[in-house]
C-alpha cells in the first residue's frame, strides 16, 4: 500500500495543472494498475473523493486536487500498455454526478445567507474546477452525459414552467433556478472547449448543446424580458456567451460543418437546425437581444461584443455573418432606438467596439454605396450637431451626442484596414464634416469627457497602419488632412495651456496632452505628407502644430511625465519622431528648451522600459551623429542645422560634448553591463557616436601622421569622454573586478576607426556584445 501511495504522490507532484499526458504518466499508471493492492487503493480513493464532494462545506479547497488526480488518471488510460482493468470507468460517472449535485447543494445553502454571494462569481475557482471536466466527462461520455441531462432537464423544465406562468415565480426560487442553469451551461461549455473526434462524441455534444439552445429561447421570453437588471439572469446570459464561444470554435464554419455531420444531423432531429448558418443565426439573434436589452450591465455588453468581434474577425464566420438578415439589420439600424446600450453613458466605451465590428462587416464588401448607406445613422447625428446654434451647443444633449459620435467614428476608422476602405471614410468626412470637430474643440476644450474621445478618433484617423493612408501622387489629401489636424491641435493646445491647474492633472491636462503627442507622432511618421510644402508656401500649419505640441509636452514636470506610463510612452515616441523627421525645428529652439529636451532624454535612459530606452538611444544617436559629422569633423559648421547646433553648444556647453553627453554615455554603458537588455544593437549606435564627438587625441595624431581621419584606429587614442565614462564606472566596482573590467573596456575599441559608416558601426556592435558577455561571465 505504501508503494501505491508513492506512485499516487508522483502522479500528483508532476503537476496537476498539466493537461497533456506524457509517456512517463502512462508508464506510472501501468505500474500502478499492476500492483497487487490497486483494486483496494482505487476503491479507497473513489470513496474518499465522493465523501469529499458530499462534504463540500469543509473540503472545497481539496476538490481541485482530487479532480486533478482523476483527470491525470483517465488521461493516461489511452497510453497504457497491457490490458489490466483500471476500474476508472466504474467510478468516474459517479464522481461527475456527485460533483454536479454538490454544486446544486451549495447554491441552495447559499441562498439562506446572502443572495449577493455566489460561487459563480469566483472566476478563478470556477475555471480551476471546470478545466478538469472535459477529460473526466469524455472518458465515459455516454454515462456522464446522461447524468448531466438527468440533473439539468428537471431544472430546465421548471424554468420553462416558471416563464409561462402568468404570475412570476418567487424571486428567491427563480434566482436559484437560474443559478443552477448557469452552472450547467458552464459545464457544457467546458466540455465543448475540448473537442474529441468520433461520431459518438458528436452525438453527445449535440444532446448537451441542444439543451442550451432550448434554454436560449426561454431566457428572453415572457416576464423574463423585464428581468435584465437581475444579477442571476446576467450570470445565466454570461454563461450562455461562454458556451457560444466554445461551440462556435468547434462546430461553426465550412470545415467544421464537413467534419461534424453527426452533430448537425442530431441537431436537425432535436432543434430543426440542420446547418451551421441556422445555428449562427441563433447566436447572432442572442447577441442582438443582449445589445438591445442590457444597458444596465456593461459587463454583459462587453462580453457580448467580444463574442461578436470574434465571429466578425473569423475568416469564415465573418463572411457567413453577412448572409444573415439579423446582421444586415444591425448594420443598417445601429442607432439608439434599436440598441438601448447606446443611450447609456456607462456603456459609452462599448460604442467604439460595436462600431468597429460594424465597420469590419461593412468593409468586407468594399462597396462605397454599401458603406454610405450604413453610415446614415451617423449622418443624422452630424446633421443635428452641425445645425445646432453656437448659443446652445454647450448643453448636455449636444455633449452626449458629440461623445457618442466620435466614439462611433473611431470604431469605424479602426476597421479601415486598406487604402480603399480608408478612402471611403476620408471622402465621406472631408471636407463636409471636418468643421464640426473644430467647433467641438472651441466649445468644449475644458471638458475632457468630450475632447479626449474626439482626439482619440483623430489619432486613429491619422494613423497610417497597414499603409492605408496611401494617396495618389497627385493627390493633396495628405496635406489637407494634416492642415485639419493642425487646426484641431493648435485650437485645443492653446486653450488647454491657458487653463488653471486642476487637482487631478492627469484627467484635466495630461491625458489630452499624450493623445495630442500621439496624433502628431503618427502624422509625422505616416509618410503621406510632404512637409516641405508648408515652408515653401509660407503655411504655418506644421510649425504651429509642432510648437504647440512641444509646449504641451514641456509644460508637464519631468517627474509627472515619467510617473504616468501613457504620458511617458507618448512623449518619447514624439521626441524620437520629431528629432528624426524635423531636426531643423529642434535646432531652431532656444538653448533653454533644447537643454530641457536633452535632460529628458537622459532621464529616459534611466527607465527600465525597453521601447523607451531604444527611442532615447535613437534620438541621442541622431543628435550625436549630426554633431560628429558637422562639428567634430568639420572645420566650421556650414548648414543651418549645424550652425544652430553649434550655437546651442556655445550657449550651453554642458549639452555637448561634456557633462550631459558624458552622463548619457555612462548611462548607456551601465545598461549594457548591468541590465538584462536584449537589443544591444540600438544602444551601440549612440555609444559610438558619443565616443567620437570629443575625439581630440585622434585629431592631433592624425595631423602628426598626415593620415585621413577616418583611417585612424581609436585604440590608444581614445576620447576624453570615453576615458571619463570608463573611470566613473570603474570606481563603482569592487577592487577585484576593476582590472578585469578595465581590460574589457580596452578591448572594446579594437579595430574601431574614426568613422560612423555602417561597417564601423557593425564592428562596434560586435565588440560591445563581446564586451558585455565577457564582463557578465564572471
Amino acid at each position: 500500500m505504501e508503494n501505491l501511495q508513492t506512485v499516487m504522490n508522483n502522479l500528483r507532484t508532476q503537476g496537476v495543472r498539466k493537461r497533456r499526458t506524457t509517456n512517463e504518466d502512462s508508464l506510472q499508471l501501468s505500474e500502478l494498475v499492476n500492483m497487487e493492492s490497486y483494486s483496494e487503493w482505487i476503491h479507497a480513493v473513489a470513496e474518499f473523493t465522493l465523501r469529499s464532494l458530499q462534504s463540500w462545506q469543509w473540503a472545497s479547497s481539496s476538490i481541485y486536487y482530487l479532480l486533478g488526480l482523476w483527470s491525470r488518471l483517465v488521461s493516461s488510460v489511452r497510453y497504457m500498455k497491457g490490458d489490466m482493468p483500471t476500474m476508472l470507468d466504474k467510478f468516474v460517472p459517479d464522481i461527475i454526478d456527485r460533483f454536479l449535485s454538490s454544486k446544486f447543494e451549495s447554491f441552495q445553502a447559499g441562498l439562506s445567507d446572502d443572495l449577493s454571494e455566489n460561487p459563480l462569481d469566483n472566476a478563478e475557482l470556477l475555471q480551476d474546477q471546470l478545466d478538469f471536466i472535459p477529460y473526466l466527462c469524455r472518458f465515459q461520455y455516454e454515462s456522464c452525459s446522461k447524468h448531466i441531462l438527468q440533473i439539468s432537464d428537471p431544472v430546465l423544465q421548471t424554468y420553462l414552467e416558471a416563464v409561462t406562468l402568468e404570475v412570476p415565480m418567487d424571486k428567491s426560487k427563480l434566482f436559484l433556478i437560474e443559478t443552477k442553469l448557469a452552472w450547467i451551461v458552464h459545464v457544457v461549455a467546458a466540455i465543448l472547449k475540448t473537442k474529441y473526434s468520433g461520431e459518438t462524441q458528436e452525438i453527445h455534444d449535440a444532446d448537451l448543446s441542444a439543451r442550451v439552445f432550448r434554454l436560449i429561447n426561454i431566457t428572453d421570453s415572457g416576464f423574463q424580458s423585464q428581468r435584465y437588471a437581475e444579477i442571476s439572469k446576467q450570470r445565466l446570459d454570461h454563461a450562455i456567451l461562454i458556451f457560444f464561444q466554445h461551440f462556435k470554435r468547434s462546430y461553426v464554419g465550412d470545415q467544421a460543418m464537413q467534419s461534424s455531420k453527426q452533430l448537425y444531423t442530431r441537431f436537425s432531429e432535436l432543434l430543426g437546425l440542420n446547418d451551421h448558418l441556422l445555428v449562427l443565426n441563433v447566436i447572432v439573434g442572442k447577441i442582438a437581444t443582449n445589445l438591445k436589452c442590457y444597458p444596465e450591465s456593461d459587463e454583459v455588453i462587453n462580453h457580448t461584443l467580444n463574442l461578436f468581434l470574434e465571429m466578425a474577425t473569423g475568416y469564415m464566420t465573418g463572411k457567413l455573418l453577412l448572409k444573415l438578415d439579423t446582421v444586415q439589420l444591425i448594420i443598417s439600424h445601429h442607432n439608439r432606438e434599436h440598441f438601448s446600450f447606446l443611450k447609456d453613458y456607462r456603456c459609452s466605451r462599448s460604442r467604439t467596439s460595436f462600431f468597429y465590428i460594424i465597420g469590419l462587416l461593412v468593409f468586407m464588401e468594399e462597396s462605397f454605396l454599401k458603406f454610405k448607406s450604413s453610415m446614415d445613422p451617423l449622418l443624422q447625428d452630424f446633421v443635428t450637431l452641425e445645425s445646432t446654434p453656437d448659443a446652445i451647443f454647450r448643453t448636455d444633449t449636444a455633449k452626449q451626442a458629440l461623445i457618442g459620435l466620435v466614439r462611433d467614428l473611431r470604431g469605424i476608422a479602426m476597421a479601415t484596414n486598406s487604402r480603399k476602405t480608408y478612402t471611403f471614410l476620408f471622402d465621406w468626412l472631408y471636407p463636409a464634416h471636418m468643421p464640426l470637430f473644430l467647433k467641438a474643440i472651441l466649445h468644449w476644450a475644458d471638458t475632457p469627457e468630450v475632447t479626449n474621445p474626439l482626439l482619440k478618433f483623430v489619432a486613429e484617423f491619422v494613423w497610417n497602419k497597414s499603409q492605408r493612408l496611401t494617396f495618389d501622387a497627385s493627390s493633396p489629401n495628405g496635406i489637407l488632412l494634416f492642415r485639419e489636424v493642425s487646426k484641431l491641435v493648435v485650437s485645443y493646445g492653446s486653450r488647454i495651456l491657458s487653463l488653471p491647474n486642476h487637482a487631478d492633472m492627469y484627467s484635466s491636462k495630461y491625458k489630452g496632452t499624450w493623445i495630442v503627442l500621439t496624433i502628431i507622432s503618427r502624422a509625422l511618421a505616416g509618410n503621406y505628407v510632404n512637409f516641405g510644402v508648408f515652408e515653401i508656401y509660407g503655411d504655418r500649419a506644421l510649425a504651429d502644430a509642432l510648437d504647440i505640441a512641444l509646449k504641451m509636452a514641456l509644460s508637464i514636470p519631468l517627474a509627472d511625465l515619467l510617473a504616468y506610463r501613457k504620458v511617458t510612452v507618448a512623449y518619447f515616441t514624439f521626441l524620437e519622431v520629431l528629432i528624426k523627421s524635423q531636426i531643423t525645428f529642434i535646432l531652431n529652439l532656444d538653448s533653454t528648451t533644447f537643454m530641457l529636451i536633452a535632460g529628458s532624454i537622459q532621464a529616459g535612459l534611466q527607465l527600465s522600459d525597453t521601447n523607451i530606452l531604444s527611442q532615447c538611444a535613437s534620438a541621442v544617436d541622431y543628435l550625436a551623429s549630426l554633431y560628429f559629422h558637422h562639428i567634430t569633423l568639420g572645420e566650421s559648421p556650414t548648414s543651418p542645422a549645424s550652425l544652430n547646433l553649434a550655437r546651442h553648444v556655445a550657449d550651453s556647453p554642458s549639452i555637448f560634448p561634456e557633462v550631459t553627453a558624458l552622463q548619457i554615455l555612462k548611462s548607456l554603458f551601465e545598461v549594457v553591463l548591468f541590465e538584462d537588455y536584449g537589443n544591444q544593437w540600438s544602444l551601440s549606435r549612440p555609444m559610438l557616436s558619443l565616443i567620437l564627438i570629443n575625439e581630440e587625441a585622434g585629431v592631433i595624431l592624425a595631423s602628426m601622421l598626415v593620415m585621413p581621419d577616418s583611417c585612424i584606429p581609436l585604440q590608444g587614442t581614445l576620447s576624453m569622454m570615453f576615458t571619463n565614462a570608463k573611470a566613473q564606472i570603474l570606481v563603482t566596482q569592487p577592487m577585484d573586478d576593476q582590472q578585469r573590467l578595465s581590460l574589457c573596456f580596452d578591448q572594446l575599441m579594437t579595430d574601431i576607426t574614426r568613422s560612423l559608416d555602417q561597417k564601423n558601426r557593425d564592428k562596434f556592435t560586435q565588440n560591445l556584445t563581446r564586451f558585455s558577455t565577457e564582463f557578465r561571465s564572471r
Side-chain angles (χ1 to χ4, degrees):
M1 196 68 181
E2 292 180 359
N3 291 336
L4 287 171
Q5 187 64 39
T6 300
V7 173
M8 185 186 77
N9 290 336
N10 288 339
L11 280 169
R12 176 178 167 182
T13 55
Q14 282 178 15
V16 295
R17 291 185 182 272
K18 295 180 180 179
R19 298 294 178 262
R20 294 186 178 180
T21 303
T22 62
N23 291 332
E24 185 178 355
D25 293 335
S26 60
L27 289 173
Q28 289 191 353
L29 181 59
S30 300
E31 178 185 355
L32 184 65
V33 171
N34 284 297
M35 288 185 175
E36 182 178 353
S37 302
Y38 172 76
S39 177
E40 178 185 351
W41 175 80
I42 196 66
H43 277 82
V45 173
E47 183 179 357
F48 177 73
T49 302
L50 292 172
R51 287 186 177 180
S52 297
L53 291 171
Q54 188 172 6
S55 305
W56 52 266
Q57 301 94 327
W58 302 282
S60 58
S61 60
S62 303
I63 300 302
Y64 170 80
Y65 297 101
L66 288 170
L67 293 178
L69 171 62
W70 284 98
S71 176
R72 299 285 288 178
L73 289 171
V74 301
S75 298
S76 302
V77 170
R78 68 177 69 181
Y79 303 103
M80 276 186 56
K81 296 181 180 180
D83 55 358
M84 289 292 293
T86 63
M87 290 182 283
L88 297 177
D89 54 341
K90 175 181 178 182
F91 299 113
V92 168
D94 292 339
I95 291 172
I96 289 294
D97 182 50
R98 173 44 53 188
F99 178 61
L100 297 175
S101 300
S102 67
K103 282 297 175 184
F104 277 18
E105 293 171 6
S106 68
F107 297 146
Q108 183 76 48
L111 291 177
S112 60
D113 299 324
D114 186 355
L115 291 178
S116 64
E117 295 182 359
N118 193 286
L120 293 174
D121 294 332
N122 190 333
E124 183 178 355
L125 179 60
L126 179 66
Q127 186 62 42
D128 283 343
Q129 295 185 358
L130 290 176
D131 277 351
F132 301 116
I133 292 297
Y135 304 94
L136 295 176
C137 287
R138 290 190 182 277
F139 177 68
Q140 289 292 311
Y141 203 7
E142 182 175 0
S143 299
C144 291
S145 63
K146 286 181 179 178
H147 284 299
I148 295 173
L149 294 177
Q150 287 172 359
I151 198 171
S152 64
D153 282 350
V155 183
L156 183 60
Q157 183 61 33
T158 304
Y159 189 62
L160 175 60
E161 294 173 356
V163 172
T164 57
L165 290 174
E166 295 184 2
V167 179
M169 180 182 287
D170 178 72
K171 182 178 179 180
S172 61
K173 292 182 179 179
L174 193 55
F175 179 95
L176 176 59
I177 293 174
E178 288 178 329
T179 301
K180 290 181 177 180
L181 288 173
W183 171 248
I184 291 297
V185 173
H186 275 298
V187 170
V188 175
I191 295 172
L192 292 180
K193 185 178 180 180
T194 306
K195 181 183 177 183
Y196 284 20
S197 59
E199 294 182 359
T200 304
Q201 295 279 338
E202 286 186 17
I203 291 174
H204 295 317
D205 282 353
D207 288 338
L208 293 177
S209 301
R211 266 58 176 189
V212 181
F213 278 95
R214 286 175 180 168
L215 177 63
I216 296 167
N217 296 329
I218 306 172
T219 54
D220 301 302
S221 61
F223 70 87
Q224 289 294 88
S225 60
Q226 308 299 321
R227 298 187 63 255
Y228 293 102
E230 298 294 334
I231 187 65
S232 60
K233 177 163 175 54
Q234 293 176 15
R235 289 172 180 147
L236 178 56
D237 279 335
H238 176 75
I240 290 173
L241 292 171
I242 294 177
F243 163 80
F244 281 154
Q245 286 181 309
H246 298 323
F247 182 88
K248 178 193 68 66
R249 292 168 188 168
S250 298
Y251 291 112
V252 175
D254 285 344
Q255 294 182 350
M257 179 71 179
Q258 294 298 322
S259 62
S260 308
K261 293 182 179 180
Q262 292 299 320
L263 178 133
Y264 283 100
T265 299
R266 184 63 173 162
F267 259 30
S268 180
E269 298 172 0
L270 297 174
L271 303 171
L273 304 175
N274 56 9
D275 65 30
H276 54 179
L277 199 59
L278 294 174
V279 170
L280 198 61
N281 192 56
V282 174
I283 297 175
V284 173
K286 180 58 178 173
I287 289 173
T289 299
N290 284 359
L291 296 178
K292 290 177 182 178
C293 303
Y294 265 117
E296 298 88 355
S297 176
D298 57 344
E299 183 178 353
V300 175
I301 291 294
N302 289 335
H303 196 169
T304 301
L305 290 173
N306 288 338
L307 172 63
F308 200 11
L309 177 61
E310 187 177 320
M311 295 166 65
T313 53
Y315 178 75
M316 288 306 306
T317 52
K319 295 184 179 298
L320 289 173
L321 287 176
L322 293 177
K323 299 179 181 180
L324 302 177
D325 292 339
T326 306
V327 170
Q328 296 300 328
L329 185 65
I330 293 174
I331 291 175
S332 58
H333 294 84
H334 46 76
N335 51 37
R336 290 180 292 274
E337 287 69 27
H338 287 80
F339 298 102
S340 58
F341 84 96
L342 297 176
K343 301 178 184 178
D344 197 300
Y345 181 73
R346 290 173 297 178
C347 298
S348 61
R349 292 178 181 271
S350 301
R351 298 180 66 133
T352 301
S353 300
F354 179 59
F355 279 86
Y356 174 50
I357 299 167
I358 296 294
L360 289 174
L361 295 171
V362 170
F363 291 137
M364 283 182 188
E365 301 184 50
E366 293 192 340
S367 166
F368 182 69
L369 292 177
K370 179 70 174 178
F371 164 75
K372 191 175 180 181
S373 64
S374 66
M375 292 296 101
D376 283 344
L378 297 187
L379 180 60
Q380 294 174 13
D381 292 337
F382 266 115
V383 171
T384 301
L385 289 168
E386 288 166 348
S387 61
T388 302
D390 290 355
I392 60 173
F393 194 75
R394 195 176 168 89
T395 61
D396 285 342
T397 301
K399 174 183 174 181
Q400 297 304 327
L402 272 172
I403 294 172
L405 177 61
V406 294
R407 287 188 183 277
D408 300 347
L409 287 172
R410 183 184 171 204
I412 297 295
M414 289 168 60
T416 59
N417 51 17
S418 68
R419 175 184 176 183
K420 188 173 184 178
T421 56
Y422 181 86
T423 303
F424 290 169
L425 181 60
F426 182 87
D427 291 343
W428 186 71
L429 286 175
Y430 184 87
H433 303 302
M434 297 301 290
L436 177 64
F437 303 132
L438 183 58
K439 180 180 178 180
I441 289 292
L442 294 175
H443 285 80
W444 293 97
D446 60 343
T447 309
E449 292 174 90
V450 176
T451 55
N452 288 345
L454 193 159
L455 292 172
K456 284 187 176 182
F457 157 67
V458 176
E460 179 65 36
F461 195 53
V462 302
W463 190 10
N464 191 16
K465 62 181 181 183
S466 303
Q467 295 301 305
R468 61 183 183 176
L469 272 76
T470 306
F471 300 111
D472 294 333
S474 60
S475 172
N477 285 345
I479 296 171
L480 295 174
L481 174 60
F482 186 82
R483 290 184 67 186
E484 295 294 332
V485 169
S486 177
K487 293 176 188 177
L488 291 171
V489 167
V490 172
S491 296
Y492 174 76
S494 58
R495 285 162 176 75
I496 206 71
L497 287 173
S498 64
L499 293 176
N501 288 340
H502 192 272
D504 185 358
M505 288 297 294
Y506 178 80
S507 298
S508 62
K509 288 190 176 182
Y510 296 170
K511 185 172 184 179
T513 298
W514 74 252
I515 302 174
V516 166
L517 296 181
T518 301
I519 291 172
I520 299 299
S521 299
R522 290 177 175 179
L524 293 177
N527 198 31
Y528 55 85
V529 183
N530 184 349
F531 290 105
V533 171
F534 295 106
E535 184 177 359
I536 291 175
Y537 292 99
D539 191 326
R540 293 283 306 171
L542 174 62
D544 290 344
L546 297 181
D547 182 62
I548 200 68
L550 189 61
K551 285 180 178 177
M552 294 176 68
L554 296 181
S555 70
I556 303 176
L558 184 60
D560 287 353
L561 190 148
L562 300 178
Y564 296 99
R565 165 73 181 168
K566 291 184 178 180
V567 180
T568 308
V569 171
Y571 172 75
F572 285 109
T573 300
F574 167 71
L575 212 55
E576 180 191 21
V577 174
L578 190 62
I579 289 174
K580 284 186 175 181
S581 64
Q582 302 295 329
I583 187 62
T584 301
F585 172 82
I586 289 290
L587 296 178
N588 283 339
L589 297 171
D590 61 88
S591 294
T592 301
T593 304
F594 189 85
M595 187 65 179
L596 286 174
I597 293 174
S600 67
I601 292 175
Q602 182 183 340
L605 292 172
Q606 311 297 322
L607 302 178
S608 59
D609 187 284
T610 300
N611 291 331
I612 293 176
L613 192 56
S614 297
Q615 289 168 339
C616 291
S618 176
V620 169
D621 179 47
Y622 198 89
L623 289 172
S625 298
L626 183 69
Y627 186 99
F628 175 75
H629 285 127
H630 294 279
I631 298 179
T632 301
L633 290 183
E635 294 182 0
S636 62
T638 56
S639 67
S642 57
L643 285 170
N644 285 331
L645 185 56
R647 174 175 59 84
H648 287 308
V649 173
D651 292 345
S652 304
S654 62
I655 298 175
F656 286 110
E658 297 177 6
V659 178
T660 301
L662 173 60
Q663 293 170 347
I664 290 175
L665 181 61
K666 177 175 176 288
S667 297
L668 290 169
F669 268 119
E670 289 172 345
V671 172
V672 170
L673 289 171
F674 310 121
E675 302 292 336
D676 187 15
Y677 181 73
N679 189 7
Q680 290 189 4
W681 181 92
S682 64
L683 299 185
S684 68
R685 265 47 189 168
M687 292 175 74
L688 179 60
S689 303
L690 289 169
I691 289 172
L692 294 180
I693 64 175
N694 188 14
E695 203 280 293
E696 297 172 350
V699 176
I700 296 172
L701 182 60
S703 62
M704 292 175 60
L705 299 178
V706 195
M707 294 174 58
D709 289 347
S710 61
C711 298
I712 301 175
L714 289 184
Q715 191 173 16
T717 60
L718 301 179
S719 71
M720 186 65 67
M721 187 181 303
F722 176 79
T723 303
N724 290 340
K726 171 184 173 181
Q728 289 185 18
I729 293 175
L730 285 175
V731 297
T732 64
Q733 299 302 301
M735 291 296 297
D736 295 342
D737 292 338
Q738 287 186 11
Q739 183 176 358
R740 184 168 60 86
L741 181 56
S742 178
L743 181 61
C744 292
F745 268 109
D746 294 340
Q747 295 174 346
L748 175 63
M749 308 309 296
T750 303
D751 298 329
I752 302 301
T753 62
R754 191 165 177 260
S755 167
L756 286 179
D757 60 28
Q758 190 62 43
K759 181 179 179 180
N760 199 45
R761 284 180 179 272
D762 291 343
K763 180 60 181 177
F764 183 78
T765 302
Q766 295 173 8
N767 288 359
L768 186 67
T769 302
R770 189 182 306 112
F771 165 81
S772 174
T773 302
E774 290 180 357
F775 176 74
R776 289 170 181 265
S777 62
R778 50 186 172 181

